[in-house]
Amino acid sequence: MREIRVFIEGPLRDRAEVELPESAARHLLRVLRLDAGAAVTLFDGRGGTYRATLTHAGRGAVRARIDGFDPMERESPLALTLLQAVSRAEKMDWILQKATELGVAAIQPVLAERSVIRLEAERADRRLAHWLAVLRSACEQCGRNRVPALLPPASLEEACIAARAAAPDAPALMLDPGAERTLRTALGPQPASAALLIGPEGGFSEREIDVARRLGFAPARFGPRVLRTETAAIAALTALQAWAGDLATD
């Protein structure tokens, strides 16, 4: 039987009764056509899941009683931070969704010089809220119980400085088709965490590449072809997770 998973702003606690968010309630009622007594799984993004039973399923609200806690974790042994240059709406949503499925621990949107999207303060807030909803929805679908950390959009320099400050000893890699070292070589011995910097559709400018290198991001090539930004992000994350043992390759 399919597990029905719903993200709830927490913190959740055993034996509590909670009201489901409007969007989730609408989906459970109109699409899945669930009634009171149906079993659902709730999670608050802080780890583990909560077994729950719908106690009320009506137009006014959908409520559930929490019946127990399951501490199951599905996180990768490699804590990956993706520094992703902001792309067009649908493309950025796709990258965030797939990065979540692949177990990325944190996502830093980067406002690069050649990014086709420009975010003013008010628009940035709306976009950040939308991206967070994308991450939560991806966790509902893929079975993750921890929502990746989503950082506010920042310039390339600000993003690189923050990433290095958060994990100064971790490998920091920047995909560059012209780099001498491969991604695997640049990664080095298996680390506990790493940062990966991906450029926009038009690539980073020479100035940005120099800034990233100066701030500790090592250029690394990934295969013999130039990849689109969305392909590069997902392909590189997949390779890094496979090397870390998160993805079964045997």
Side-chain angles (χ1 to χ4, degrees), residues 95-192:
I95 293 171
L96 296 178
Q97 181 188 73
K98 303 310 173 188
T100 300
E101 293 177 21
L102 287 167
V104 72
I107 298 172
Q108 168 67 78
V110 176
L111 300 173
E113 291 178 8
R114 295 174 182 166
S115 290
V116 296
I117 300 296
R118 292 289 180 262
L119 297 177
E120 302 300 332
E122 183 178 348
R123 188 181 179 191
D125 290 341
R126 292 198 305 269
R127 184 58 59 182
L128 198 64
H130 170 76
W131 288 338
L132 183 57
V134 170
L135 300 186
R136 291 170 173 175
S137 178
C139 285
E140 289 178 342
Q141 181 275 324
C142 74
R144 284 188 71 178
N145 300 324
R146 293 185 182 273
V147 179
L150 178 61
L151 305 173
S155 69
L156 175 76
E157 184 170 4
E158 291 170 335
C160 289
I161 290 173
R164 299 305 290 144
D169 298 325
L173 311 175
M174 169 178 57
L175 285 198
D176 179 358
E180 294 183 3
R181 292 194 295 174
T182 66
L183 183 64
R184 184 70 182 93
T185 302
L187 181 66
Q190 184 61 57

Side-chain angles (χ1 to χ4, degrees), residues 41-114:
T41 298
L42 308 180
F43 69 104
D44 59 11
R46 295 169 175 80
T49 59
Y50 293 82
R51 302 183 301 279
T53 303
L54 297 187
T55 56
H56 177 81
R59 288 179 177 270
V62 175
R63 292 189 293 273
R65 181 191 66 248
I66 295 177
D67 301 320
F69 176 70
D70 184 345
M72 176 183 291
E73 293 286 3
R74 294 189 174 99
E75 296 304 294
S76 170
L78 176 61
L80 277 170
T81 295
L82 173 64
L83 289 79
Q84 173 66 49
V86 175
S87 302
R88 298 180 192 275
E90 297 82 0
K91 189 175 293 186
M92 190 69 178
D93 287 359
W94 191 87
I95 293 171
L96 296 178
Q97 181 188 73
K98 303 310 173 188
T100 300
E101 293 177 21
L102 287 167
V104 72
I107 298 172
Q108 168 67 78
V110 176
L111 300 173
E113 291 178 8
R114 295 174 182 166

Side-chain angles (χ1 to χ4, degrees), residues 1 31 54 73 77 147 195 198 205:
M1 182 178 178
V31 179
L54 297 187
E73 293 286 3
V147 179
I198 303 291
S205 67

Side-chain angles (χ1 to χ4, degrees), residues 10-22:
L12 297 174
R13 66 181 189 278
D14 198 9
R15 305 304 168 185
E17 185 165 308
V18 297
E19 185 168 327
L20 274 58
E22 183 179 350

